[in-house]
Amino acid sequence: MTPNPAATQPRRPDERETRADVLRSPVSKRLPEFVVTECMRAGESLTAVFQRLAAELGAREAEILSLMLYGSLAARDEVDRAMHAALGETQWPITWIEGASCDGAPLAGLQAFAVSGRPVTRVRLGHRIVGSVYEDGGARHCLLGGLGPTAHALGAPAQVQQMFGNLEWALDQAGFELADVVRTWFYNDDILAWYADFNRVRSAHYAGVKWRTGSLPASTGIGARNADGAALAVAAWALRPVDGAARAREVGSPLQCPAPAYGSAFSRAMELDSGGWRRLLVSGTASIFPDGKTAWVGNAKKQVGLTMEVVGAILQARGMTFRDVTRATAYFRDPLCKPHFDAWLAARELRRLPVVPMQSTICRDDLLFEIELDAGVAAS
């Protein structure tokens, strides 16, 4: 990575502090693995967003493991130029999905998974970098991004099958298997038109997998176009222990039924205990009753409230709170729903949660809001 030297000068603390530092638990400030979350600010350029990322990476002598970009595909060239101006040549996987900002900005936000002080090996398929591998002392981790099918002319279900083939190919190149995957992100174009087919193909593919954890991965399945014009794009996180202490395990939701109960093959959350801390990866979560039915249809405020209550219960079950959150993505069916989320955060003094808010289609036409997040605390 060769960031712009001018962008890597240490920042002065002020009220515009990057969201990577806000609400981060003390343990995550000491650890070499972290996430930088940045959103565009009123009146600033795209380059400024990536310069803040470059400054954070430079200050911590860190490398990007995986980059998620949420923004307008119409602005892709402009965003790419800004990214290269600040960060130099791209040497990491990028998952670029269309996620309109809620305020009209061309970039809703970015999330950079990064690590400092540890060797990083890149995974390539052809000439493209699709993954990064590193060790934290307890386990090997592989973060993959920007993967999808190769033949975009195929029907959507066939593209899902091909996507899984490419995902497994990339994992194999890195020394992992699909059975090692603990977290996935699926971004499906026109999701409402074929979500049942997607779930059918995914479930069939997973049926033959003997998961290392004994459980399905945590996951997000959201409606969004991708930069390649495919039916879907995928990102994933795989973990393989290197000692007897490291492990990953499923965490259930105290307030919701398991997702497979209504045909979705994923776990509500996964906890990774390795390298001195516990990471809780919470799947995309929405306003769903314990019986699997949508709750508070048509009421955005109630849907936001229930969703956050459900996520809060998962965090609490593992001895964490929203102040331990290191990364979050909030998906809104309509930007008019966002004030309800902002009000919920404000009432709990969580205004500066490290979250990217974006417009997107949720996997049910009566869901108005969904959120995913990660949190971390020191291992006991």
Side-chain angles (χ1 to χ4, degrees), residues 31-116:
L31 290 166
E33 178 191 317
F34 61 100
V35 181
V36 179
T37 297
E38 289 290 353
C39 298
M40 287 192 74
R41 299 168 182 167
E44 77 171 351
S45 67
L46 281 166
T47 301
V49 180
F50 290 98
Q51 285 176 335
R52 288 199 301 277
L53 171 57
E56 181 75 7
L57 296 171
R60 299 184 65 159
E61 299 181 343
E63 291 187 71
I64 294 176
L65 296 168
S66 181
L67 181 63
M68 292 185 168
L69 295 177
Y70 310 93
S72 169
L73 290 178
R76 183 184 179 188
D77 290 344
E78 184 183 359
V79 172
D80 283 346
R81 286 193 296 271
M83 177 173 62
H84 293 152
L87 300 173
E89 182 182 359
T90 302
Q91 294 293 333
W92 47 82
I94 297 177
T95 304
W96 177 291
I97 66 162
E98 182 160 61
S101 69
C102 294
D103 57 8
L107 185 68
L110 63 83
Q111 294 161 338
F113 295 79
V115 69
S116 62

Side-chain angles (χ1 to χ4, degrees), residues 96-173:
W96 177 291
I97 66 162
E98 182 160 61
S101 69
C102 294
D103 57 8
L107 185 68
L110 63 83
Q111 294 161 338
F113 295 79
V115 69
S116 62
R118 287 177 174 155
V120 177
T121 303
R122 305 300 181 180
V123 182
R124 295 177 181 268
L125 290 187
H127 299 294
R128 186 177 182 184
I129 295 175
V130 299
S132 302
V133 178
Y134 75 100
E135 290 190 18
D136 64 6
R140 294 179 69 233
H141 300 262
C142 180
L143 275 68
L144 298 166
L147 284 163
T150 306
H152 301 167
L154 294 174
Q159 288 193 47
V160 177
Q161 293 175 323
Q162 193 175 72
M163 174 275 298
F164 275 120
N166 288 335
L167 175 61
E168 293 192 66
W169 182 18
L171 286 164
D172 181 69
Q173 295 296 307

Side-chain angles (χ1 to χ4, degrees), residues 18-355:
T18 180
R19 295 186 186 197
D21 291 332
V22 179
L23 299 179
R24 186 189 291 149
S25 61
V27 62
S28 64
K29 289 183 179 179
R30 299 192 303 268
L31 290 166
E33 178 191 317
F34 61 100
V35 181
V36 179
T37 297
E38 289 290 353
C39 298
M40 287 192 74
R41 299 168 182 167
E44 77 171 351
S45 67
L46 281 166
T47 301
V49 180
F50 290 98
Q51 285 176 335
R52 288 199 301 277
L53 171 57
E56 181 75 7
L57 296 171
R60 299 184 65 159
E61 299 181 343
E63 291 187 71
I64 294 176
L65 296 168
S66 181
L67 181 63
M68 292 185 168
L69 295 177
Y70 310 93
S72 169
L73 290 178
R76 183 184 179 188
D77 290 344
E78 184 183 359
V79 172
D80 283 346
R81 286 193 296 271
M83 177 173 62
H84 293 152
L87 300 173
E89 182 182 359
T90 302
Q91 294 293 333
W92 47 82
I94 297 177
T95 304
W96 177 291
I97 66 162
E98 182 160 61
S101 69
C102 294
D103 57 8
L107 185 68
L110 63 83
Q111 294 161 338
F113 295 79
V115 69
S116 62
R118 287 177 174 155
V120 177
T121 303
R122 305 300 181 180
V123 182
R124 295 177 181 268
L125 290 187
H127 299 294
R128 186 177 182 184
I129 295 175
V130 299
S132 302
V133 178
Y134 75 100
E135 290 190 18
D136 64 6
R140 294 179 69 233
H141 300 262
C142 180
L143 275 68
L144 298 166
L147 284 163
T150 306
H152 301 167
L154 294 174
Q159 288 193 47
V160 177
Q161 293 175 323
Q162 193 175 72
M163 174 275 298
F164 275 120
N166 288 335
L167 175 61
E168 293 192 66
W169 182 18
L171 286 164
D172 181 69
Q173 295 296 307
F176 291 79
E177 301 175 359
L178 185 60
D180 298 315
V181 171
V182 295
R183 178 69 162 97
T184 56
W185 293 263
F186 295 105
Y187 303 105
N188 296 19
D189 188 14
D190 195 18
I191 191 170
L192 294 177
W194 66 287
Y195 190 55
D197 287 336
F198 168 76
N199 277 318
R200 174 179 54 79
V201 175
R202 176 173 60 174
S203 295
H205 195 85
Y206 283 179
V209 180
K210 187 176 181 180
W211 300 99
R212 187 175 296 275
T213 63
S215 302
L216 294 162
S219 192
T220 295
I222 207 75
R225 294 169 57 209
N226 59 81
D228 294 327
L232 78 167
V234 64
W237 186 333
L239 175 147
R240 178 167 285 194
V242 295
D243 66 24
R247 64 172 185 156
R249 71 182 190 91
E250 179 181 358
V251 175
S253 173
L255 301 181
Q256 289 182 335
C257 65
Y262 53 80
S264 289
F266 68 92
S267 296
R268 292 296 184 190
M270 291 292 292
E271 183 177 272
L272 316 184
D273 190 343
S274 177
W277 71 315
R278 292 188 292 116
R279 311 160 184 82
L280 184 64
L281 312 181
V282 179
S283 297
T285 303
S287 177
I288 296 175
F289 282 130
D291 63 2
K293 296 180 180 178
T294 299
W296 303 111
V297 174
N299 190 325
K301 181 179 180 180
K302 292 283 192 179
Q303 286 201 6
V304 168
L306 178 58
T307 300
M308 300 307 287
E309 181 183 356
V310 169
V311 172
I314 296 174
L315 289 166
Q316 184 178 24
R318 299 308 304 148
M320 303 184 197
T321 73
F322 282 101
R323 294 192 174 275
D324 297 309
V325 170
T326 55
R327 183 197 70 90
T329 312
Y331 304 97
F332 300 92
R333 182 70 177 268
D334 189 303
L336 294 177
C337 300
K338 185 174 178 290
H340 299 300
F341 178 65
D342 293 339
W344 191 95
L345 295 178
R348 293 156 182 81
E349 298 185 351
L350 295 171
R351 293 179 183 86
R352 305 194 71 185
L353 193 80
V355 59

